[in-house]
Amino acid sequence: MRFYLISDNTDTQTGMRLAGIEGVVAHQADEVSAALEHALAQPDVGMILVTEKIADDFEAIVNEAKQTPDAPLILAIPDRHGSALGKDRITRYVREAIGVKI
């Protein structure tokens, strides 16, 4: 199983490449769509990583790829700017789920 990255910046791509993860940088809808099609066509890709900015800006394209039968897991990851969900997202999830402040 391999990972494949679709990023909106070269810094994230470079960092992931150093970890052995191939990927592309995409800024336009057609580039994101082509990158997803390329990754989905490779049978050994088990997880597609997209930056949160890509997932937000091209939500319809990413969601359509998630609907593909037998598609690999598509996961949005934070990039060099940090997470759009905030630093305390796990604490917030626990507080919302069970009502306990930790």
Side-chain angles (χ1 to χ4, degrees):
M1 178 184 85
R2 286 187 318 125
F3 290 84
Y4 191 82
L5 171 72
I6 303 171
S7 176
D8 63 305
N9 65 70
T10 55
D11 293 337
T12 302
Q13 182 197 27
T14 301
M16 291 298 205
R17 186 67 190 138
L18 290 170
I21 298 173
E22 290 181 40
V24 295
V25 175
H27 299 287
Q28 305 294 326
D30 59 334
E31 295 172 330
V32 173
S33 183
L36 280 167
E37 287 177 23
H38 173 74
L40 292 170
Q42 298 181 35
D44 59 339
V45 171
M47 184 177 290
I48 300 172
L49 305 173
V50 296
T51 56
E52 288 179 347
K53 183 168 176 22
I54 293 281
D56 290 342
D57 291 350
F58 305 104
E59 184 177 1
I61 296 170
V62 173
N63 285 340
E64 183 180 331
K66 287 181 179 181
Q67 305 281 331
T68 305
D70 299 324
L73 178 65
I74 299 175
L75 180 67
I77 60 168
D79 64 5
R80 64 189 169 118
H81 300 293
S83 177
L85 301 174
K87 293 179 182 178
D88 67 337
R89 71 176 187 243
I90 294 173
T91 305
R92 190 175 59 231
Y93 287 150
V94 170
R95 186 173 50 243
E96 290 172 1
I98 61 175
V100 175
K101 184 175 181 180
I102 56 173

